[in-house]
Amino acid sequence: MAAGALHRSIRTIQLHGGSNDSASTKEFGNSSLKFISKGFAVDVKFLSNRSRSFSHCKMHVIRAISSHASVVDPILSTSHVTTDFNQNTSIESSLILIRHGESMWNEKNLFTGSVDVPLTKRGIEEAIEAGERISSIPVNMIYTSALIRAQMTAMLAMTQHRQKKIPIIMHDESVQAKEWSQIFSEETIQQSIPVITAWQLNERMYGKLQGLNKEETVVKYGKEKVHEWRRSFDSPPPNGESLEMCSQRAVAYFKENIEPQLQNGRNIMVAAHGNSLRSIIMYLEKLTSQEVTNLELSTGVPLLYIYKHGEFLKRGSPVGPTEHGVYAYTRNLALYRQKLDEMVQ
Amino acid sequence: MATSVFHQPLGTAQPHQHLQNSGFRQEFGHASVKLTFKGFKVETGLSRRGGYSSCKRKFGVIQASASHTSVVQPVSYPPNNSTDELRKKSSEAALILVRHGESLWNEKNLFTGCVDVPLTKKGVEEAIEAGKRISNIPVDMIYTSALIRAQMTAMLAMTQHRRKKVPIILHNESEQAREWSQIFSEDTKKQSIPVVTAWQLNERMYGELQGLNKQETADRFGKEKVHEWRRSYDIPPPNGESLEMCAERAVAYFKDHIEPQLLSGKNVMIAAHGNSLRSIIMYLDKLTSQEVINLELSTGIPMLYILKGGKFIRRGSPAGPTEAGVYAYTRSLALYRQKLDDMLH
């Protein structure tokens, strides 16, 4: 069943090579990503730019110039997509990380953790804003946590996306849930962006502090203890998780489920929480535990990484006034954006 | 543990008896509903005035006029104090039904059914609008379907609610989910509105039509067949549900889980879908299958019913330009609103 294939091909993604037979198919039209599921084989027609360097240490941070269209060279699939070597080299995929905005307990200054609290009006606006900032960056799959504030952030952000593909949340909590959510049109499936919810991306579980306000807690446990729990790497609140424990499950999930997708050239968006995202960034940027405890992620301003040659390149700074000031577009991203512009005329 | 109590009464609520000795406690101050946890008993302080009738055929449909507080007529019953019937009669509970707004597949004219498709920008606005219309009506519990468009509608609507209690989604899918979402402050719990998600409130499952556009389907199956599936009561599309089947599971859920809450005086909001809500209305208004087929529910305009004396009284017409034009406030509701006004000054 087509939809079953959709599910399966997402879950058990094998490393497919971007093996383009004829290297010189200058398929401009194909430079945007098409999510085509053919049984278990997913072709990615995302052609990449020249230099087939097999070195893993390519860190070109190319700053895109503000006028996007004119400076873009055709994405040449030319040359050397040598299939013998590392199939990863010709592939570039983008990874967007979004931290959800203000929740109703943030507003009330209560420790939230894994309690499922929704967004405030402000949180909603932040999500929509975040969506505007990433409206020209390709997204093929979305991962969120099991909590509504992250899911809403993702869905609200995607209402702003220019590509107009439709996020569909995958359900597999039971056989019935799987059956009931099946889609019966190939075309529709192609226009869909699967959304996977995972508790492993949840906010750090705050144990007995969940629901308490910050004063109450200080009174109950003492200022230092509380400070320690909040700011240390490996000291958990009672019955809760330390940042270390949170990273363990978040990064494991990322490595097992999300990274393979990136290796296949799929562009991913992850909508999650302060601590789960920090943990992932710790992995992406190889931070020390000291560095990660000092890392603050802004809400409403998504982070962009490019996965290339097996490396994660940071392409967006968390603080920036406009989209251009925030993301360093790669050639592929610029082409994608150009395509969107053409589509929407 | 205190929090397990939180979960229990919601799932398996028994109708609580309100043994109000004297029927005339004019507790204006207590007209708002308090959700207090005392072990397994949940008491509400929603008192009423007027007499008690043991007659079961009271349909007081009163239309409110534009100026809300002054013209509210008490729902009057002949003063008849038979105490054995007293229990059920002594409480009045509000039931709000909200149908979610435009989804991304509505926009594309695709059959959606149980596929988990999110809201469009317009759907988001409709939800917020709906929230404004019910911002003065008490809500103690929320029930939604398992689909994001209904959940988002509920959460978006509640950002507009004046009472400022915080909806918290309850998680039951596993032992860990339950543990991780525990709240450890009594105060915080009292300020929470539990949100229960249930697949039984999902949209009617459309089987092999899910994802197809209306044209495709007419081509594939023939125009008449399609019309039959969409508009008949008991003919299901291939591998899908008929309206009758949908009604079975939705109304059963309502009777088992939601009605007991209302009977115990809790005010409930249900955010769901066209067909599941129609099914419930069929039960509330005792419609025939012919009548229910012709029933169209508008999106963005919530419907209000009052459960009183064991009967559901419709207090809102789906078509109305303003809040006052839509809901016929009872005395209790007007008092609640007044209390909100006082609170916020």
Side-chain angles (χ1 to χ4, degrees):
Chain A
M1 169 123 310
L6 178 69
H7 291 267
R8 275 173 301 222
S9 57
I10 296 165
R11 299 298 161 157
T12 61
I13 216 75
Q14 309 302 321
L15 285 181
H16 293 280
S19 41
N20 302 311
D21 351 321
S22 126
S24 52
T25 38
K26 289 195 196 176
E27 291 176 24
F28 269 86
N30 286 358
S31 61
S32 70
L33 285 165
K34 289 196 277 227
F35 187 78
I36 303 163
S37 46
K38 298 182 186 172
F40 287 86
V42 181
D43 290 352
V44 176
K45 294 203 169 65
F46 197 91
L47 308 170
S48 68
N49 196 349
R50 22 170 181 125
S51 46
R52 300 300 138 233
S53 116
F54 303 119
S55 120
H56 286 271
C57 298
K58 272 271 171 210
M59 298 277 215
H60 6 250
V61 180
I62 302 166
R63 295 244 148 224
I65 308 169
S66 38
S67 76
H68 51 268
S70 48
V71 289
V72 170
D73 294 339
I75 296 276
L76 300 173
S77 67
T78 54
S79 37
H80 8 38
V81 188
T82 42
T83 49
D84 56 306
F85 193 77
N86 186 355
Q87 301 150 328
N88 297 342
T89 54
S90 52
I91 294 173
E92 178 188 301
S93 40
S94 50
L95 171 66
I96 301 170
L97 305 179
I98 299 190
R99 179 186 186 186
H100 69 78
E102 191 187 61
S103 81
M104 291 190 185
W105 277 11
N106 289 155
E107 200 185 33
K108 290 186 159 199
N109 230 356
L110 301 177
F111 284 117
T112 311
S114 283
V115 182
D116 205 348
V117 179
L119 299 171
T120 57
K121 287 184 217 178
R122 179 159 161 229
I124 292 167
E125 282 159 28
E126 290 185 85
I128 292 181
E129 234 208 72
E132 280 163 13
R133 283 175 181 266
I134 52 159
S135 61
S136 301
I137 301 179
V139 177
N140 298 123
M141 284 190 73
I142 299 174
Y143 286 84
T144 77
S145 73
L147 305 173
I148 192 91
R149 56 199 189 264
Q151 295 171 8
M152 279 179 74
T153 295
M155 300 298 108
L156 289 165
M158 291 307 288
T159 60
Q160 309 298 315
H161 203 270
R162 295 213 287 163
Q163 167 67 110
K164 298 301 177 200
K165 283 195 176 186
I166 294 177
I168 308 279
I169 297 184
M170 303 279 110
H171 280 271
D172 61 353
E173 53 270 21
S174 67
V175 176
Q176 179 183 284
K178 239 186 302 242
E179 277 175 21
W180 278 33
S181 54
Q182 282 182 358
I183 303 173
F184 286 82
S185 155
E186 273 309 308
E187 217 183 288
T188 304
I189 294 175
Q190 283 166 28
Q191 289 299 308
S192 304
I193 299 173
V195 180
I196 297 183
T197 60
W199 69 263
Q200 292 89 331
L201 296 173
N202 276 13
E203 181 51 297
R204 173 180 163 201
M205 207 274 280
Y206 250 65
K208 291 198 178 162
L209 267 48
Q210 293 184 163
L212 270 53
N213 72 39
K214 318 214 161 158
E215 280 89 46
E216 259 181 311
T217 324
V218 165
V219 165
K220 200 168 180 180
Y221 295 100
K223 212 173 167 188
E224 276 152 33
K225 225 32 192 130
V226 177
H227 182 82
E228 195 184 289
W229 291 327
R230 296 188 75 190
R231 297 289 165 247
S232 75
F233 186 61
D234 56 3
S235 166
N239 284 0
E241 286 186 308
S242 60
L243 180 49
E244 183 175 31
M245 292 157 74
C246 173
S247 343
Q248 252 167 41
R249 42 115 169 145
V251 176
Y253 187 85
F254 181 87
K255 287 191 198 172
E256 285 161 30
N257 297 278
I258 303 180
E259 202 165 346
Q261 301 288 349
L262 290 163
Q263 279 161 351
N264 266 325
R266 288 217 193 76
N267 301 292
I268 308 278
M269 171 165 102
V270 179
H273 308 260
N275 285 301
S276 48
L277 287 176
R278 265 171 165 184
S279 311
I280 291 173
I281 291 174
M282 181 179 180
Y283 168 69
L284 301 181
E285 297 189 27
K286 304 185 184 2
L287 303 176
T288 64
S289 55
Q290 192 57 42
E291 289 172 320
V292 79
T293 52
N294 292 328
L295 182 64
E296 287 300 330
L297 302 182
S298 30
T299 55
V301 184
L303 292 163
L304 174 64
Y305 288 82
I306 300 289
Y307 181 79
K308 191 166 187 152
H309 307 322
E311 294 287 316
F312 287 96
L313 313 167
K314 186 181 218 180
R315 302 291 287 190
S317 113
V319 289
T322 64
E323 184 193 345
H324 286 302
V326 172
Y327 303 127
Y329 271 23
T330 59
R331 187 155 301 197
N332 290 341
L333 287 183
L335 266 181
Y336 181 76
R337 186 193 177 129
Q338 186 185 342
K339 208 174 185 295
L340 284 178
D341 288 342
E342 287 158 17
M343 249 172 48
V344 183
Q345 304 313 349
Chain B
M1 153 138 307
T3 46
S4 59
V5 170
F6 192 74
H7 292 276
Q8 243 86 331
L10 305 175
T12 61
Q14 308 302 318
H16 291 278
Q17 319 305 331
H18 279 271
L19 300 173
Q20 295 206 342
N21 343 331
S22 111
F24 290 90
R25 287 191 309 167
Q26 302 213 329
E27 289 176 21
F28 278 103
H30 286 278
S32 71
V33 176
K34 290 191 282 225
L35 186 70
T36 51
F37 293 95
K38 296 183 183 172
F40 285 85
K41 264 192 327 171
V42 181
E43 291 174 12
T44 61
L46 187 69
S47 66
R48 23 157 319 335
R49 72 169 286 291
Y52 300 86
S53 141
S54 50
C55 152
K56 291 205 180 178
R57 278 181 226 286
K58 268 292 157 162
F59 284 98
V61 180
I62 301 168
Q63 292 298 321
S65 66
S67 77
H68 52 269
T69 41
S70 48
V71 288
V72 169
Q73 305 287 329
V75 180
S76 59
Y77 295 99
N80 179 350
N81 284 346
S82 48
T83 48
D84 50 310
E85 310 271 343
L86 249 180
R87 18 189 210 99
K88 282 200 182 169
K89 310 301 190 293
S90 56
S91 59
E92 177 188 297
L95 171 66
I96 301 171
L97 305 179
V98 186
R99 180 187 185 185
H100 71 77
E102 190 187 62
S103 82
L104 287 169
W105 277 11
N106 288 154
E107 199 184 35
K108 289 192 155 193
N109 230 355
L110 301 176
F111 285 117
T112 311
C114 281
V115 181
D116 204 350
V117 180
L119 299 170
T120 57
K121 287 185 217 178
K122 181 169 168 220
V124 169
E125 282 159 27
E126 290 183 87
I128 292 181
E129 249 300 322
K132 291 181 184 159
R133 284 176 181 264
I134 53 159
S135 62
N136 294 311
I137 301 178
V139 177
D140 298 315
M141 284 194 73
I142 299 174
Y143 286 84
T144 76
S145 72
L147 305 174
I148 192 90
R149 55 199 189 266
Q151 295 172 7
M152 278 180 74
T153 295
M155 300 298 109
L156 290 164
M158 291 307 288
T159 59
Q160 308 298 315
H161 204 271
R162 293 217 287 164
R163 183 64 176 86
K164 299 300 176 199
K165 282 194 174 186
V166 180
I168 307 278
I169 297 184
L170 301 183
H171 281 268
N172 252 327
E173 51 272 20
S174 67
E175 191 51 48
Q176 178 182 287
R178 241 189 305 256
E179 279 175 22
W180 277 35
S181 54
Q182 282 182 358
I183 303 173
F184 286 84
S185 157
E186 278 308 311
D187 265 351
T188 303
K189 273 187 233 165
K190 288 183 198 161
Q191 291 298 309
S192 303
I193 299 173
V195 180
V196 180
T197 59
W199 68 265
Q200 293 89 331
L201 296 173
N202 276 11
E203 182 52 295
R204 172 179 164 201
M205 207 273 282
Y206 249 64
E208 290 180 13
L209 268 47
Q210 291 186 163
L212 270 53
N213 70 41
K214 314 202 168 169
Q215 194 50 55
E216 258 180 310
T217 324
D219 292 341
R220 205 184 279 194
F221 297 101
K223 218 169 159 193
E224 275 153 34
K225 225 32 198 125
V226 176
H227 181 82
E228 198 178 73
W229 292 326
R230 298 188 74 190
R231 297 288 165 247
S232 75
Y233 184 62
D234 55 3
I235 303 176
N239 284 351
E241 287 186 306
S242 60
L243 180 49
E244 182 176 32
M245 292 157 74
C246 171
E248 239 173 73
R249 41 113 170 145
V251 176
Y253 187 86
F254 181 85
K255 287 191 197 171
D256 293 339
H257 295 87
I258 303 180
E259 203 165 347
Q261 300 290 344
L262 292 162
L263 288 168
S264 68
K266 291 221 196 60
N267 302 292
V268 177
M269 171 165 103
I270 302 179
H273 309 259
N275 284 302
S276 46
L277 287 177
R278 264 169 166 188
S279 310
I280 292 175
I281 291 176
M282 183 178 176
Y283 169 70
L284 301 179
D285 288 349
K286 298 186 185 7
L287 302 177
T288 63
S289 53
Q290 194 55 44
E291 289 171 321
V292 78
I293 294 169
N294 294 326
L295 183 64
E296 287 301 331
L297 303 181
S298 29
T299 56
I301 300 185
M303 278 168 293
L304 175 64
Y305 285 81
I306 302 285
L307 174 62
K308 189 159 189 157
K311 306 298 292 183
F312 286 98
I313 305 162
R314 185 187 238 184
R315 302 292 285 189
S317 112
T322 65
E323 185 194 346
V326 169
Y327 303 128
Y329 270 27
T330 59
R331 185 152 302 198
S332 302
L333 288 182
L335 275 178
Y336 181 76
R337 186 192 176 131
Q338 189 184 335
K339 205 172 187 298
L340 284 178
D341 289 339
D342 295 337
M343 245 172 53
L344 302 177
H345 288 128

